[in-house]
Amino acid sequence: MTEQPKALKLTVLLVSSLTIMSMVTISPALPQMSEAFKDIPNAEFLVKMVLTLPALFIATISPIAGQLIDRYGRLKLLYVSMVLYAVAGVSGFFLDDLYVLLATRALLGVAVGVSMTVVNTLVADYFEGPARQKFVGIQVAFMSLGGILFIGLGGVLADINWRYPFLLYLFSLVVLPLALKYLYEPERAPRPVPGEVRKKSPGIIWLLFVNVMVMWILFFMIPVQVPFQMVEIGIDSNSMVGAAIALSTLFSAVSSFSYSRMKDKFSFYSIFAAGYLLMAAAFVIVAMAESYLMVTLAMMLAGLGMGMMIPNTNIWVMRIAPVEIRGREIGRLTTFWFLGQFLSPILLLPVSRSYSISNTFYFAAIALLVISVFFLLMQISSSRKPAVQ
């Protein structure tokens, strides 16, 4: 199951891209949306929730989706989620009620929670060993590049009208025929017989779940806090801010493309230690930045660090999760992934208000350095255990 047709690989990549576009596509339209709904109490806050609410529902539905796909199979749930994705996503083009729009964004989160859990489980099903390692790196890189493309298209369409970026969610219906034609249902693991010991993952999987949440809490400081830090140093051009943040995504893609070669030489622990160290350096530079050049350098380093850690997490979970409960464990991974994104502004905005944005980046850099040292120590202590290599 390691060598798969190119059409299947491309289809998996396109389905994967639905995840990233669900979050970033409408981002450029938020200011115009705030203006359109300005007569509604708390309009600015509610419009921001239009962007972030799906993450909460992705986190909520993913573990349920994981259990369902282990019990009933992958593809039927994927097809339903792709249709729901298109319907819930495009509704923003037609709706005039902000509260109904928020409800459709919740449904979009449900669709993404199912589709992302299914597609990552399919990657684990379709590929093994070095082939899986290589494909996951390509998958994460493809999603990063897709984020750049969709946020760019969203910006162009938002210049016409704030409703137009919602039309991009119809892309799901473009990909659906490919999924119907090229994806196949993997052979299902046998159901446990009564009295049989239930399969369990190694305890270290919970370290990976918590780690991915912390990783996203800290990395999400870039889209949430970096624009304000740039304004403080005199950079108030939206295009320059967007270009700097896009640079982190681009270098994340570069790093993810190289992941398979890195993993051939280094352990899971070592890659985490290096990734967190790069992010720590990036955050120190952001805190010290006095020019646009320093910010762009920081974004490059942060992207390189994050780009190696995302596939590292996915591969490790895929490797240690028993096939009988693979969907459930990948569902849990998805939950902690998006829970980190949802919690990031909630946890860090009070810190930036109490101190300053620069100091918040210093504090985050210290936390990143501590985590890097932790994984380095884990590598040293496990150097005689080939299971994590």
Side-chain angles (χ1 to χ4, degrees):
M1 286 202 307
T2 59
E3 190 59 39
Q4 297 290 354
K6 291 181 179 178
L8 179 143
K9 293 178 181 178
L10 177 60
T11 302
V12 172
L13 292 174
L14 290 172
V15 175
S16 299
S17 71
L18 298 177
T19 300
I20 189 70
M21 74 169 288
S22 70
M23 302 296 290
V24 303
T25 298
I26 65 166
S27 180
L30 294 184
Q32 292 93 329
M33 288 179 64
S34 296
E35 180 65 23
F37 293 110
K38 63 183 179 181
D39 294 332
I40 297 175
N42 299 315
E44 185 176 352
F45 170 77
L46 292 173
V47 165
K48 289 180 180 178
M49 287 294 292
V50 170
L51 186 66
T52 60
L53 191 63
L56 177 61
F57 280 82
I58 294 168
T60 303
I61 199 66
S62 295
I64 301 171
Q67 294 184 40
L68 290 175
I69 64 178
D70 283 336
R71 181 179 292 269
Y72 300 110
R74 286 39 166 161
L75 294 187
K76 289 181 181 178
L77 283 169
L78 178 63
Y79 302 150
V80 171
S81 70
M82 291 177 73
V83 173
L84 178 60
Y85 182 103
V87 173
V90 79
S91 10
F93 180 79
F94 303 99
L95 294 173
D96 293 315
D97 189 314
L98 182 55
Y99 293 99
V100 178
L101 177 56
L102 285 168
T104 65
R105 297 297 289 179
L107 289 175
L108 179 68
V110 171
V112 175
V114 175
S115 65
M116 183 176 181
T117 303
V118 172
V119 76
N120 283 339
T121 306
L122 286 176
V123 171
D125 293 334
Y126 289 160
F127 303 94
E128 295 176 353
R132 180 191 291 167
Q133 184 174 293
K134 181 178 180 181
F135 187 82
V136 169
I138 294 172
Q139 180 194 23
V140 174
F142 192 91
M143 291 170 66
S144 298
L145 294 174
I148 297 173
L149 173 63
F150 285 118
I151 199 169
L153 288 173
V156 171
L157 292 173
D159 284 338
I160 302 172
N161 187 284
W162 66 265
R163 295 181 181 275
Y164 279 79
F166 287 93
L167 294 175
L168 292 173
Y169 290 104
L170 293 173
F171 180 67
S172 175
L173 299 183
V174 176
V175 180
L176 180 58
L178 299 177
L180 288 165
K181 182 173 183 179
Y182 294 114
L183 301 184
Y184 64 88
E185 186 72 46
E187 184 177 347
R188 199 176 308 173
R191 298 283 300 276
V193 298
E196 183 181 7
V197 177
R198 297 184 67 180
K199 294 285 185 179
K200 292 184 178 180
S201 300
I204 196 170
I205 200 167
W206 285 98
L207 171 65
L208 300 178
F209 294 156
V210 174
N211 176 66
V212 80
M213 180 178 69
V214 172
M215 195 165 72
W216 277 107
I217 286 173
L218 294 170
F219 186 75
F220 233 54
M221 288 181 67
I222 290 177
V224 174
Q225 304 284 6
V226 164
F228 296 97
Q229 175 70 351
M230 292 177 70
V231 169
E232 286 197 358
I233 63 174
I235 303 167
D236 55 3
S237 165
N238 289 332
S239 60
M240 293 178 72
V241 171
I245 294 174
L247 202 58
S248 70
T249 307
L250 176 61
F251 274 76
S252 175
V254 171
S255 185
S256 298
F257 269 126
S258 306
Y259 172 76
S260 184
R261 282 176 286 180
M262 280 187 278
K263 187 64 189 70
D264 287 338
K265 298 178 181 178
F266 301 103
S267 71
F268 288 117
Y269 287 130
S270 298
I271 292 173
F272 275 133
Y276 276 115
L277 185 61
L278 284 169
M279 285 183 61
F283 279 25
V284 169
I285 295 173
V286 171
M288 298 173 56
E290 297 179 353
S291 68
Y292 188 69
L293 181 61
M294 291 182 70
V295 175
T296 56
L297 174 61
M299 295 302 95
M300 293 177 193
L301 293 175
L304 289 173
M306 197 65 176
M308 67 176 67
M309 291 196 292
I310 296 174
N312 200 51
T313 305
N314 293 354
I315 283 291
W316 201 347
V317 170
M318 290 175 184
R319 179 177 294 187
I320 64 179
V323 64
E324 296 87 349
I325 57 170
R326 180 177 285 162
R328 186 181 73 184
E329 300 295 42
I330 291 176
R332 286 174 173 167
L333 178 66
T334 306
T335 290
F336 281 87
W337 177 311
F338 283 94
L339 193 59
Q341 293 186 10
F342 182 76
L343 289 176
S344 181
I346 295 173
L347 295 177
L348 295 173
L349 279 174
V351 179
S352 63
R353 287 172 179 169
S354 298
Y355 297 92
S356 69
I357 296 176
S358 293
N359 284 333
T360 303
F361 275 101
Y362 278 125
F363 296 150
I366 293 170
L368 289 162
L369 182 59
V370 169
I371 300 171
S372 176
V373 171
F374 167 78
F375 278 110
L376 180 60
L377 293 175
M378 292 286 285
Q379 168 58 30
I380 294 170
S381 67
S382 65
S383 58
R384 297 182 181 180
K385 298 178 183 178
V388 299
Q389 301 297 315

